[in-house]
Amino acid sequence: VAWAVGEAGIILGTVDAGATWRTQYDDGRTSFTGLWATAAMTAWVVGDGGIIKKTVDGGEHWMDQTSGTADDLYAIYALSADTAWAAGHAGTMLFTADGGAHWTPQVTGTAVSLHGVSAADADTLWAVGDRGSVIKSADGGLHWTAQSPGVTVALTDISAVDAQSAWASGERGVVLKTTDGGANWVKQDSTTRADLASLRAVDGNIAWAAGDGATLLRTADRARYFAEGHTGDGFQEFLCFFNPQESQAAVIIKYLFADGTSQVQQVALPPESRTTLDVNGTVGPGRDVSVIVQADGAIEVERPMYFNYLGAWSGGSDAYGSMGPSVNWNFAEGYTGAGFDQYVCVLNGQSRPAAVMFDFQTQENGPVSLAGYIVPANSRATFRVNDLLGGAYQNSLQLKSTVPVIAERSMYFNYAGGEGGMSWSGGHSVVGAPLLANQYLFAEGTTRSGFDEYLTLQNPGSSRIQVNAVFEPGQGQGAPVTRIFSVDAGKRQTVFVKDVVGADKDVSIKVSSASPFLAERVIYFDYRGYGADWTGGSCIIGAREVSTEWLFAEGSTGDAWHEYLCLQNPNSSDSMVQVTYYTQERGKLAPESFVIPANGRVTLVVNTHAGPDLRLAARIKVTSGPGIVAERSQYFDFGGWTGGHYSLL
């Protein structure tokens, strides 16, 4: 349920998430400039000449309220169906405590026009306006104090998170944030000079802003979220941090547990460094744990886990954290047959419970929808998909939640499809995709002996799609192979890559479609490089686009650790890249440059390139030419637990 307002007295309403909009009011003359809804049936609008209208029946009727002013009103904010503030021309501020039956003027102490107002609670509220004006009240608007945001452009909107935190937006792309009640406002890098008209914050980390020229911005404020994590018997969990900046980075780590409790850790990351934290040692044994990482700088963090699952299947997994919660999560891969255990971990960092629904697309039994599952506030929950589905199913998943959450899928396996009937045990973990895309790029991939590679395509849409796939073999291994796969509505399809390109090929993949979809690549292996004999598997969602910079926080060239960087250039011209390693043992190493040929890929053996016995992060930066795709592969023997994991941000 949503509303939109605009010029010429228009009020539109939707009850189907915007698929259709119905005109609820249209007087042909009034400009409505402010709107706030407190529930599916209750909303206010404000506009020219002090007009205030309210609906209590979902927009079937809009009733006039007496504002007591002829000044234009630009914004309204309601804490409830009874309590609201309206702001407008020449410092106008109105307050109601009875649902708008009576509106009382408040003295703001400013003569500038106020374009935004927002309340954190019944006492704490801010308003913003022309000439960089910010005012705050600590007593529900009875008294107001001016603050100094450090800008002079008009501020157009404000969104309070709590009594200490708020966001503001304005002209020329200005976005401000305070975390100390407004004593200091910090200008954010919004990446635009467009005038911003409105802003909404989800929490202290995530905000949206919109403005001129169809500008739409979103920030996650460098936060990363990990839903999965376990420190029980047979599991070792780490957090690997990479700070590429020339200044120290302050990091706050919040560990959330299944019982609703939490633990906070603060860490200072030195400039240009790689740091490893032992999660088991921090939170103690036997914990199901999710993690939220917040930093004051541009860092990267990964979560490697090593395990001996059920005392039988050893391996490891690695994941980049999600940039923010969502009410929708998509997973293309999944299997609950013999030798496979599939889980979905859900992190609910909100202050209210989340009701989650699982919409599975199974190859064997079509769609399966399951509802009625609750994740308590500020906690995590684990769901075993084998139990949810109750049988052997190849499955994709759309997870839906009533509040924004983080969802991650973990799989542990004893893969029996290996060469000669061998069993390859291991596991992998993937943070889901909150949004679908029209293309995915995979840098790594091989059909050499000891490797079985699959491509899984998910179409959660309502009509059949055509997916164009280009398989790019390694240099000297033949011409690209193109295939078109038809995926029916609400279906998934699995492609065995060796059947497409043949055996003994290194292969990068690009898949694309005119319609949004999801693609994951799974590799099961018996890795025998440099004398190893380590079985395992990995799974990743492809990159949506090329980039001129790639950062990897995890990496090791120690004894029984083999690391590779696979660099793919899917463009028609060469790219020059610079690779720099940041080690815990020797600091930052001297950068080296490489040419990645057009429509080609280069694999770096990091043990040789960087040197042995290092724990290291890597930075790959394009110095000339088009962007590339970079992927890191890591194979290991972790104290007898053998396996591997791949990483692609």
Side-chain angles (χ1 to χ4, degrees):
V1 177
W3 286 273
V5 300
E7 296 178 353
I10 193 76
I11 303 176
L12 304 177
T14 179
V15 294
D16 55 12
T20 58
W21 291 84
R22 181 173 68 89
T23 299
Q24 296 184 344
Y25 182 84
D26 181 6
D27 67 10
R29 60 182 186 277
T30 304
S31 286
F32 291 121
T33 49
L35 161 68
W36 198 266
T38 60
M41 305 300 284
T42 307
W44 273 283
V45 298
V46 298
D48 290 351
I51 191 170
I52 301 178
K53 288 181 175 290
K54 184 181 182 182
T55 182
V56 294
D57 59 7
E60 293 298 319
H61 303 88
W62 286 91
M63 301 170 291
D64 287 321
Q65 296 190 332
T66 302
S67 68
T69 182
D71 286 326
D72 293 343
L73 297 175
Y74 302 129
I76 186 166
Y77 185 93
L79 275 177
S80 67
D82 295 322
T83 304
W85 292 264
H89 179 70
T92 297
M93 183 68 67
L94 307 176
F95 171 71
T96 182
D98 56 11
H102 302 87
W103 286 91
T104 303
Q106 294 184 333
V107 179
T108 59
T110 182
V112 304
S113 292
L114 299 174
H115 300 290
V117 60
S118 183
D121 51 50
D123 294 321
T124 309
L125 63 152
W126 279 274
V128 296
D130 289 343
R131 299 196 295 275
S133 178
V134 178
I135 57 176
K136 182 184 180 182
S137 176
D139 55 12
L142 296 178
H143 302 87
W144 293 83
T145 302
Q147 296 187 332
S148 300
V151 298
T152 57
V153 299
L155 297 177
T156 52
D157 208 356
I158 180 89
S159 186
V161 175
D162 53 40
Q164 297 298 313
S165 302
W167 301 73
S169 63
E171 295 178 338
R172 302 180 190 173
V174 166
V175 176
L176 306 171
K177 183 181 179 183
T178 182
T179 56
D180 56 11
N184 295 281
W185 287 87
V186 179
K187 191 173 182 180
Q188 310 294 295
D189 181 11
S190 70
T191 72
T192 183
R193 296 285 290 173
D195 291 345
L196 300 176
S198 61
L199 177 143
R200 291 290 183 273
V202 177
D203 54 29
N205 300 314
I206 303 169
W208 298 79
D212 287 356
T215 299
L216 184 62
L217 308 175
R218 179 185 184 274
T219 178
D221 199 31
R222 315 200 199 289
R224 294 291 186 269
Y225 300 77
F226 299 91
E228 172 64 290
H230 185 62
T231 64
D233 289 344
F235 281 78
Q236 175 62 59
E237 179 178 353
F238 297 97
L239 291 174
C240 293
F241 294 90
F242 176 26
N243 177 18
Q245 305 174 119
E246 295 181 355
S247 58
Q248 179 176 284
V251 175
I252 299 175
I253 307 164
K254 186 176 183 180
Y255 303 95
L256 290 89
F257 306 113
D259 61 3
T261 61
S262 62
Q263 179 178 334
V264 175
Q265 181 183 18
Q266 298 189 37
V267 178
L269 304 180
E272 298 185 319
S273 68
R274 141 78 189 257
T275 303
T276 305
L277 296 183
D278 180 352
V279 177
N280 291 51
T282 300
V283 305
R287 308 301 297 266
D288 287 334
V289 57
S290 296
V291 179
I292 301 175
V293 176
Q294 295 173 282
D296 65 353
I299 71 163
E300 282 300 340
V301 58
E302 298 181 49
R303 186 216 59 224
M305 289 189 6
Y306 304 96
F307 51 78
N308 189 18
Y309 178 72
L310 300 179
W313 304 341
S314 70
S317 65
D318 182 72
Y320 276 97
S322 170
M323 294 182 66
S326 175
V327 295
N328 295 294
W329 292 94
N330 296 277
F331 301 91
E333 179 57 69
Y335 185 54
T336 59
F340 281 76
D341 280 359
Q342 179 181 347
Y343 297 86
V344 173
C345 296
V346 179
L347 162 60
N348 177 15
Q350 311 295 325
S351 59
R352 59 191 188 277
V356 297
M357 180 173 70
F358 300 89
D359 284 341
F360 291 100
Q361 297 98 44
T362 72
Q363 288 189 206
E364 293 78 10
N365 198 33
V368 177
S369 294
L370 303 170
Y373 300 92
I374 302 297
V375 182
N378 295 307
S379 68
R380 64 159 276 180
T382 303
F383 302 92
R384 187 171 184 263
V385 178
N386 300 57
D387 296 333
L388 294 177
L389 290 176
Y393 295 99
Q394 300 172 78
N395 66 86
S396 294
L397 169 64
Q398 276 193 306
L399 183 145
K400 301 175 182 178
S401 174
T402 55
V403 302
V405 297
I406 305 294
E408 187 172 348
R409 184 203 65 233
S410 300
M411 294 186 64
Y412 303 93
F413 55 80
N414 189 25
Y415 174 73
E419 297 170 353
M422 299 296 290
S423 297
W424 302 343
S425 66
H428 47 69
S429 190
V430 170
V431 178
L435 297 174
L436 304 174
N438 294 90
Q439 77 165 12
Y440 298 92
L441 300 161
F442 301 90
E444 178 61 284
T446 185
T447 63
R448 292 173 184 259
S449 176
F451 288 82
D452 280 359
E453 179 179 357
Y454 298 86
L455 181 67
T456 304
L457 308 173
Q458 177 196 19
N459 174 21
S462 58
S463 59
R464 175 185 293 181
I465 65 172
Q466 303 293 317
V467 177
N468 184 69
V470 179
F471 300 84
E472 184 77 44
Q475 289 183 304
Q477 296 181 352
V481 178
T482 300
R483 292 286 187 272
I484 296 177
F485 302 103
S486 293
V487 186
D488 289 336
K491 299 290 187 178
R492 54 163 275 167
Q493 184 171 341
T494 303
V495 179
F496 187 44
V497 176
K498 188 179 294 185
D499 287 344
V500 177
V501 301
D504 299 319
K505 299 289 181 67
D506 297 321
V507 58
S508 298
I509 304 174
K510 176 182 178 180
V511 288
S512 59
S513 175
S515 301
F517 70 109
L518 184 62
E520 294 187 44
R521 187 212 61 217
V522 191
I523 300 179
Y524 302 101
F525 54 78
D526 182 3
Y527 170 77
R528 297 187 178 184
Y530 300 94
D533 188 2
W534 306 332
T535 68
S538 72
C539 183
I540 63 168
I541 294 174
R544 297 180 178 221
E545 57 188 0
V546 298
S547 176
T548 57
E549 185 175 59
W550 296 87
L551 303 176
F552 297 98
E554 168 65 307
S556 177
T557 63
D559 187 31
W561 294 81
H562 297 172
E563 180 180 354
Y564 300 85
L565 290 175
C566 185
L567 312 179
Q568 175 200 11
N569 179 7
N571 306 286
S572 58
S573 57
D574 294 351
S575 294
M576 177 70 73
V577 302
Q578 185 181 78
V579 180
T580 308
Y581 299 105
Y582 300 73
T583 76
Q584 291 187 207
E585 293 77 14
R586 294 164 48 197
K588 178 182 176 182
L589 304 184
E592 293 191 44
S593 295
F594 299 87
V595 174
I596 314 300
N599 298 308
R601 56 176 269 181
V602 170
T603 301
L604 300 178
V605 182
V606 180
N607 294 57
T608 302
H609 186 214
D613 301 321
L614 298 172
R615 291 169 294 173
L616 72 170
R619 183 179 195 172
I620 297 97
K621 188 173 184 178
V622 176
T623 55
S624 66
I628 65 166
V629 180
E631 188 173 345
R632 185 201 64 241
S633 306
Q634 184 83 64
Y635 304 94
F636 55 81
D637 183 342
F638 182 81
W641 302 346
T642 65
H645 47 66
Y646 297 0
S647 184
L648 187 157
L649 177 60

